[in-house]
Amino acid sequence: MKSKNLSIFTNGIIKENPVLRLVLGTCPTLAVTTAAINGIGMGVAATIVLVCSNLVISLLRNFIPDKVRIPAFITVIAGFVSVVQMLVKAFAPSIDKSLGIFLPLIVVNCIILARAEMFASKNPVLPSVLDGLGMGIGFTATLTLMGAIREILGTGALTFTEEIFIRFIPESVPSMIIFLLPPGGFFVFGILVAVSNAIAKKQGKPVVEHLGCANCPSRAACKNAILDGDTPTTCENTVKVGGSNE
Amino acid sequence: MNSTTSIVSILLAGILTNNMVLSKFLGICPFLGVSKKVNTAFSMSIAVTLVMVIATAVTWPIYTYLLMPNFTYLQTVVFILVIAAIVQLIEIVLKKFIKPIYNALGIYLPLITTNCAVLGITMLNITDGLNFGLSLVNALSAGLGFMLAMILFAGVRSKLDTADIPNFLKGLPITLIAAALVALSFLGFAGIGG
């Protein structure tokens, strides 16, 4: 039992890394990673929301009627996002400023809704909390890594506060500001996914070809759409990554 | 600044200089997920634009007249629930009264509830301090910008299908790098809107 819990915890960090393997939460990943410190701030905020919402949804899993579960999950998540938002505003105003609108937008971060739908609503409290924690750490680590890459290439140094910073590229070399701009975000993310794919391939795991429908929180709605209409579905040509949570 | 020039500058900013997908990173999921074919990309962006304008029309009065003095901390909870309800309502109304549009857009509507572009634009309207009319213009311009980015990118992706791509970049990586190049071209618009 203990090793099972451990594997649930580590699952989100490497094997099913939410950003690189499940390709969820791409918006904040691209938007806030202009500096490593922003990546840490975003990651920690999302982790707190993820752990709390997984905890509450797991506790309520036998009480929430199946038909209204998505709105119920969203309400729980939005509640915790508001709490985190107020805490960050009060205690870390500089993080609040650099994350801007992406702090309240944690509420629509697919990772959180996906974990509620795929894991917390089907599992007891302890595994759900561990799952949330693992996924949150995986998210934070990836965001920090990507923020560090973009910051080092874009400014030549890693800056934590105005006094504390580590310079990697000498000041005489002109900095590549493009890495701080939107194209740099897409580019670095593309390269990171390519590297993670190459590692997965070596280990004989499936490669992420496209945004995974298997992990989309709106998948249920999509399925209904196929039954209702005759129009082609948006969930085409996807590769199942992981998906063995039960 | 008189109102006509501000409308023009909001439209220009939303469509070109501050494009929602390519410079604000809102709505990346549909941008990468539904841009395989030009016609699906077009339908999705129509649905997003529609929901954005209607959501702004509903959330702006709610924020200004109900939440404004004392309850602004409820913004996140109220907005997401209102948007979820609006999307459901639009779906029901379209299904009942305008069947052809429902058939074309119906499958995209459930996906829009958790689309950060819609929630993002309603919140940006509040943080930017726009009045009701300009908020609607802003929502419309963001939707049109989304449409432009989606259609351009769908075109780029259809070329990618036949291109000779290095093995390790196949799939999602080359899609992201193509998006980087499209975003790079949009940087060229910087400065137009002032």
Side-chain angles (χ1 to χ4, degrees):
Chain A
M1 192 64 203
K2 241 190 184 151
S3 66
K4 200 185 162 212
N5 281 341
L6 188 73
S7 78
I8 288 172
F9 174 65
T10 53
N11 188 30
I13 302 177
I14 298 163
K15 208 176 98 197
E16 285 192 21
N17 185 296
V19 182
L20 296 175
R21 298 291 293 149
L22 307 185
V23 202
L24 292 172
T26 37
C27 297
T29 306
L30 290 164
V32 307
T33 52
T34 48
I37 188 83
N38 293 349
I40 297 175
M42 181 73 205
V44 171
T47 306
I48 296 171
V49 175
L50 189 51
V51 170
C52 295
S53 68
N54 263 13
L55 172 79
V56 169
I57 286 164
S58 169
L59 283 171
L60 292 174
R61 69 185 187 281
N62 297 326
F63 300 100
I64 297 176
D66 202 43
K67 274 200 165 161
V68 294
R69 66 183 194 287
I70 300 281
F73 296 163
I74 291 180
T75 316
V76 170
I77 296 167
F80 284 115
V81 169
S82 302
V83 171
V84 168
Q85 203 184 344
M86 282 188 270
L87 286 174
V88 172
K89 263 201 180 103
F91 295 108
S94 63
I95 297 273
D96 178 58
K97 216 178 158 197
S98 54
L99 295 186
I101 192 167
F102 283 92
L103 195 56
L105 284 183
I106 293 175
V107 74
V108 279
N109 187 323
C110 313
I111 297 172
I112 296 169
L113 193 59
R115 288 337 278 176
E117 165 89 353
M118 313 265 295
F119 200 93
S121 60
K122 294 172 194 154
N123 287 287
V125 176
L126 182 66
S128 299
V129 169
L130 288 175
D131 176 74
L133 199 60
M135 285 284 165
I137 291 174
F139 183 58
T140 312
T142 318
L143 252 60
T144 312
L145 173 70
M146 200 169 139
I149 294 173
R150 285 179 71 183
E151 196 181 354
I152 291 171
L153 291 174
T155 65
L158 271 183
T159 312
F160 297 101
T161 63
E162 275 183 33
E163 291 88 40
I164 309 166
F165 59 89
I166 313 164
R167 185 155 279 284
F168 287 85
I169 302 171
E171 266 176 88
S172 52
V173 180
S175 47
M176 295 172 271
I177 298 177
I178 191 78
F179 280 100
L180 296 182
L181 296 172
F186 282 113
F187 184 75
V188 172
F189 191 37
I191 297 295
L192 277 181
V193 174
V195 170
S196 120
N197 272 353
I199 295 170
K201 216 175 195 175
K202 239 180 198 166
Q203 295 175 339
K205 286 187 200 132
V207 169
V208 188
E209 297 227 317
H210 195 33
L211 289 183
C213 256
N215 310 295
C216 176
S218 310
R219 192 177 41 153
C222 254
K223 220 184 278 166
N224 292 343
I226 303 168
L227 294 175
D228 274 3
D230 43 357
T231 16
T233 149
T234 53
C235 290
E236 52 193 344
N237 302 325
T238 53
V239 155
K240 268 193 183 167
V241 181
S244 55
N245 290 327
E246 283 85 28
Chain B
M1 195 191 271
N2 66 48
S3 62
T4 325
T5 52
S6 58
I7 287 175
V8 171
S9 78
I10 285 178
L11 277 174
L12 272 179
I15 297 171
L16 297 177
T17 52
N18 278 329
N19 188 286
M20 190 168 59
V21 183
L22 297 168
S23 78
K24 284 190 198 145
F25 292 124
L26 293 169
I28 299 288
C29 293
F31 178 66
L32 296 175
V34 198
S35 59
K36 269 212 124 170
K37 295 193 198 90
V38 174
N39 55 350
T40 47
F42 182 69
S43 308
M44 177 72 184
S45 16
I46 295 272
V48 167
T49 312
L50 182 76
V51 172
M52 261 190 211
V53 173
I54 296 176
T56 302
V58 177
T59 52
W60 195 91
I62 288 181
Y63 186 85
T64 314
Y65 298 113
L66 289 178
L67 303 178
M68 193 58 152
N70 300 321
F71 303 108
T72 49
Y73 61 88
L74 286 175
Q75 190 195 25
T76 313
V77 182
V78 170
F79 276 26
I80 186 71
L81 290 178
V82 166
I83 290 170
I86 290 172
V87 172
Q88 285 285 313
L89 214 63
I90 293 176
E91 202 180 344
I92 293 167
V93 169
L94 286 184
K95 199 172 186 177
K96 180 92 182 144
F97 298 108
I98 324 175
K99 200 79 184 176
I101 297 185
Y102 177 78
N103 288 338
L105 305 182
I107 60 165
Y108 304 107
L109 286 172
L111 298 169
I112 291 174
T113 313
T114 51
N115 182 340
C116 56
V118 177
L119 183 63
I121 206 72
T122 55
M123 287 181 161
L124 280 174
N125 284 333
I126 304 292
T127 42
D128 290 352
L130 297 174
N131 67 28
F132 186 64
L134 290 184
S135 292
L136 290 180
V137 175
N138 194 25
L140 180 69
S141 78
L144 293 177
F146 182 74
M147 186 184 295
L148 179 65
M150 286 282 278
I151 290 170
L152 281 179
F153 193 53
V156 171
R157 281 188 75 174
S158 64
K159 293 270 176 201
L160 277 181
D161 286 343
T162 54
D164 185 19
I165 300 158
N167 226 351
F168 72 105
L169 286 179
K170 270 191 182 137
L172 187 61
I174 193 68
T175 312
L176 286 164
I177 288 167
L181 294 176
V182 176
L184 192 62
S185 70
F186 268 69
L187 276 186
F189 292 120
I192 287 183

